[in-house]
Amino acid sequence: MRRKDREVTDLEVIGRIIGDCKVFRLGMFDGRRPYVVPLSFGFDLRDGVLELYCHSAPEGRKIEILRRNPEVCFEMDCGHKLIEATAACGYGFAYASVIGEGTVGFIDTPGEKLRALLRIMEHQTGRADFSIPDAALRGVLVFRVAAGSFTVKQRLLPPGS
């Protein structure tokens, strides 16, 4: 990371930043060119290990690519706020971002699928009290991105902004 002054290493702060992000971009490679899709997600961050959970239709371009090549990269960002200045080159942006790479694994067992879907719902809504019918569990594809590595960066607003 070039800007070490913006690097975030505190796991509590990292968890808050990821919690504030509601969409992440999943980058994959189809053998010829990159393909990126925005996805809603849920996550677990335990002892510095990050897992992202996603749901999808059981088929489509994204799933075909992931079945052939489960190696992915991802990006998410939040906390966007323009930092104004008097001169154009003095402007900037406050933000927080997470960038990483990992491997996709498909979740097949009903219990694990349910847990992942509930993590998604909790992250997106703040609620953990959903029930998901068996038919819905069978009809959705769920996968996990196990982050092999990731970095977190944050630029805060200047004091008094």
Side-chain angles (χ1 to χ4, degrees):
M1 176 179 302
R2 187 181 66 82
R3 292 294 307 259
K4 289 288 190 185
D5 60 315
R6 295 185 181 164
E7 184 177 22
V8 178
T9 58
D10 181 300
L11 290 177
E12 189 173 315
V13 175
I14 291 171
R16 279 198 305 267
I17 289 170
I18 295 171
D20 288 345
C21 297
K22 298 302 179 189
V23 173
F24 84 114
R25 288 134 203 100
L26 183 67
M28 57 205 97
F29 185 66
D30 72 3
R32 290 188 6 225
R33 61 179 48 126
Y35 182 62
V36 177
V37 294
L39 297 165
S40 59
F41 70 100
F43 73 99
D44 282 317
L45 178 62
R46 291 181 296 245
D47 301 322
V49 176
L50 175 61
E51 294 184 322
L52 304 167
Y53 305 106
C54 306
H55 71 288
S56 174
E59 66 271 331
R61 181 175 180 194
K62 169 181 69 220
I63 300 308
E64 290 171 14
I65 293 169
L66 292 174
R67 288 200 188 281
R68 284 194 313 268
N69 181 5
E71 299 302 316
V72 297
C73 60
F74 59 90
E75 185 278 343
M76 62 184 85
D77 52 83
C78 61
H80 311 116
K81 179 94 170 120
L82 183 65
I83 299 170
E84 297 186 28
T86 54
C89 60
Y91 275 74
F93 226 77
Y95 67 92
S97 66
V98 180
I99 297 175
E101 53 191 37
T103 304
V104 165
F106 293 96
I107 300 173
D108 297 319
T109 63
E112 287 183 61
K113 271 176 108 169
L114 177 61
R115 182 183 176 289
L117 289 169
L118 291 175
R119 293 298 291 149
I120 294 167
M121 292 306 300
E122 183 177 2
H123 176 63
Q124 297 298 321
T125 69
R127 292 180 37 209
D129 60 346
F130 291 94
S131 63
I132 299 174
D134 289 340
L137 275 179
R138 286 190 299 274
V140 69
L141 184 135
V142 179
F143 62 91
R144 168 191 306 108
V145 176
S149 66
F150 64 96
T151 57
V152 181
K153 233 165 103 168
Q154 184 175 45
R155 180 178 184 190
L156 299 172
L157 286 170
S161 293

